[in-house]
Amino acid sequence: MNGGAFLSRCFARQNGNTNSNDGAGFHIAGGDNRVDGCASNGNDRGYDVDGGGNLIVRNSAAGNTTNYDIATGNSIGGIIAAGTNPAAIAGNSAAGTIGTTDPWSNISY
């Protein structure tokens, strides 16, 4: 993405891990982009944001070599490392393990 784009509800998987070892699930090179609600799994870098002036919120990343690689000058939701449930769940309710109530947070798990 170079500039002025809106990326939402997209999924990127296994970029770079098999051949070049230099692939990003999402590579944001320019500015004025919004990346919102995407998932990046199993890439060299989940979110590689080189430009400034972008909005990065409500995304998830798992199993990437580096989940988030974001340059200065961007607006981001907090990046939270989600916990896991300590025991099996059977029933109608359970405590959450995400570790935040901020709806704008980006999650690593």
Side-chain angles (χ1 to χ4, degrees):
M1 293 172 59
N2 287 321
F6 175 43
L7 187 63
S8 178
R9 300 179 60 174
C10 295
F11 180 69
R13 182 172 180 260
Q14 294 183 336
N15 291 284
N17 281 333
T18 57
N19 296 321
S20 68
N21 292 324
D22 190 30
F26 299 98
H27 183 208
I28 314 305
D32 301 324
N33 299 292
R34 178 175 175 164
V35 181
D36 185 345
C38 296
S40 183
N41 297 10
N43 305 285
D44 290 325
R45 291 174 314 286
Y47 298 86
D48 183 3
V49 183
D50 294 331
N54 298 292
L55 177 63
I56 314 294
V57 293
R58 300 188 310 178
N59 299 293
S60 66
N64 303 290
T65 303
T66 301
N67 284 330
Y68 298 91
D69 184 0
I70 302 174
T72 60
N74 291 286
S75 298
I76 64 167
I79 298 175
I80 306 300
T84 57
N85 58 312
I89 298 169
N92 296 324
S93 64
T97 62
I98 300 293
T100 183
T101 58
D102 182 353
W104 297 103
S105 291
N106 297 288
I107 307 294
S108 294
Y109 64 100

